[in-house]
């Protein structure tokens, strides 16, 4: 079981800020495919992953990164701080 | 070093009053303040969402890099989140170093990295509704100079 968090328009499209997900996904990309298969709102949020960023346990990561040992995955658009 | 992610306004004068003073290894202090700007003339507010936990962690990492690279004596980073009005202060960075070149460069480095590596997302509120601010390619490109 991992915590999956969504921020900004990803959160709005999916309609919730976080959820617990039971998954056997090996990589982030596998998890994205599992989520997309769930419902159209996930499909819409993950339609173009080049427009998204991912963090694993609060560190930026790549979509091909392994999920083994990861407790928290977050998906969000490119950041606009400062 | 001080990193604060907060909803409340900060007192810029109080933050800078003693910053870098009272020690022999500081010859230069540089500070930058970001203010909510309205480019359209119709913005009502700017809302900043962030990722509690990762935000503090990401900023601390950027600060550590700057301290090491420019041998900074002190750094302050304050970044607000929540709903801010036009003209309000969003964030500040202050750097203290032996020489001004290091203090200026480190402040620019911190700003460039905070823009695209600290997990904040800006949303503009206006009369027509709301829209998320898109990240700019030039902000990502700005990291390449470091």
């Amino acid at each position: 079981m991992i915590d999956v968090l969504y921020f900004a328009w990803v959160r709005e499209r999916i309609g919730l800020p976080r959820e617990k997900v039971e998954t056997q996904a090996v990589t982030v990309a596998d998890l994205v495919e599992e989520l997309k298969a769930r419902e159209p709102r996930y499909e819409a949020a993950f339609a173009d992953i080049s427009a998204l960023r991912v963090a694993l346990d609060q560190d930026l990561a790549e979509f091909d990164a392994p999920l083994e040992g990861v407790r928290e995955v977050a998906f969000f658009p490119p950041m606009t701080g400062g | 070093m001080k990193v604060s992610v907060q909803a409340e306004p900060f007192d810029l004068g109080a933050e800078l009053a003693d910053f870098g003073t009272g020690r022999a290894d500081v010859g230069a202090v540089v500070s930058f303040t970001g203010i909510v700007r309205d480019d359209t003339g119709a913005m009502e507010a700017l809302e900043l969402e962030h990722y509690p936990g990762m935000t503090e962690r990401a900023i601390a990492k950027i600060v550590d890099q700057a301290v090491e690279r420019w041998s900074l004596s002190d750094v302050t980073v304050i970044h607000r989140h929540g709903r801010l009005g036009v003209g309000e202060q969003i964030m500040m960075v202050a750097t203290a170093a032996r020489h001004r070149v290091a203090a200026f460069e480190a402040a620019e480095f911190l700003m460039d990295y905070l823009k695209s590596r600290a997990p904040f997302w800006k949303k503009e509120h206006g009369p027509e509704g709301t829209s998320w601010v898109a990240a700019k390619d030039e902000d990502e490109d700005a990291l390449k100079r470091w």
Side-chain angles (χ1 to χ4, degrees):
Chain A
M1 201 75 122
I2 51 173
D3 286 308
V4 182
L5 283 68
Y6 310 108
F7 291 96
W9 58 255
V10 183
R11 170 179 53 74
E12 290 180 341
R13 269 182 215 181
I14 291 173
L16 73 175
R18 65 189 301 155
E19 61 185 323
K20 289 200 179 292
V21 174
E22 185 71 60
T23 179
Q24 302 301 319
V26 176
T27 66
V28 176
D30 296 338
L31 174 64
V32 168
E33 289 310 311
E34 283 186 13
L35 292 170
K36 279 170 78 174
R38 283 180 161 191
E39 282 177 57
R41 57 195 169 109
Y42 289 94
E43 177 88 51
F46 291 108
D48 176 13
I49 60 165
S50 72
L52 293 179
R53 301 290 179 267
V54 60
L56 301 180
D57 289 332
Q58 307 190 351
D59 279 320
L60 283 174
E62 301 295 332
F63 281 83
D64 59 4
L67 285 177
E68 196 182 348
V70 171
R71 283 165 301 174
E72 186 174 296
V73 180
F75 295 103
F76 42 78
M79 296 156 271
T80 52
Chain B
M1 310 298 151
K2 172 180 175 177
V3 171
S4 176
V5 179
Q6 61 188 55
E8 312 76 51
F10 52 87
D11 183 340
L12 183 62
E15 293 299 336
L16 293 176
D18 298 323
F19 183 80
T21 63
R23 47 195 293 171
D25 62 341
V26 172
V29 165
V30 164
S31 81
F32 171 87
T33 312
I35 312 277
V36 179
R37 182 187 69 230
D38 178 10
D39 289 333
T40 62
M43 196 165 80
E44 288 160 1
L46 185 70
E47 188 185 334
L48 277 111
E49 180 172 335
H50 79 115
Y51 182 171
M54 179 172 169
T55 312
E56 292 79 358
R57 197 180 151 102
I59 296 175
K61 241 195 258 178
I62 297 164
V63 167
D64 285 348
Q65 285 176 36
V67 167
E68 175 156 353
R69 182 156 166 190
W70 285 278
S71 302
L72 301 177
S73 307
D74 204 358
V75 176
T76 290
V77 175
I78 301 176
H79 205 307
R80 295 178 65 194
H81 59 86
R83 191 181 168 103
L84 308 181
V86 174
E88 277 193 63
Q89 292 166 342
I90 305 181
M91 55 89 60
M92 68 161 289
V93 156
T95 55
R98 295 191 79 84
H99 301 285
R100 78 186 142 88
V101 173
F104 272 115
E105 280 188 7
E108 285 216 78
F109 168 89
L110 287 164
M111 286 311 308
D112 282 347
Y113 271 83
L114 288 169
K115 264 211 157 330
S116 37
R117 292 292 181 273
F120 288 95
W121 301 276
K122 293 189 179 118
K123 189 187 213 182
E124 293 178 353
H125 290 252
E128 316 268 291
T130 62
S131 67
W132 289 101
V133 175
K136 296 189 190 82
D137 288 342
E138 65 221 55
D139 290 339
E140 191 62 34
D141 290 346
L143 303 185
K144 291 179 188 150
R145 64 177 165 145
W146 307 111

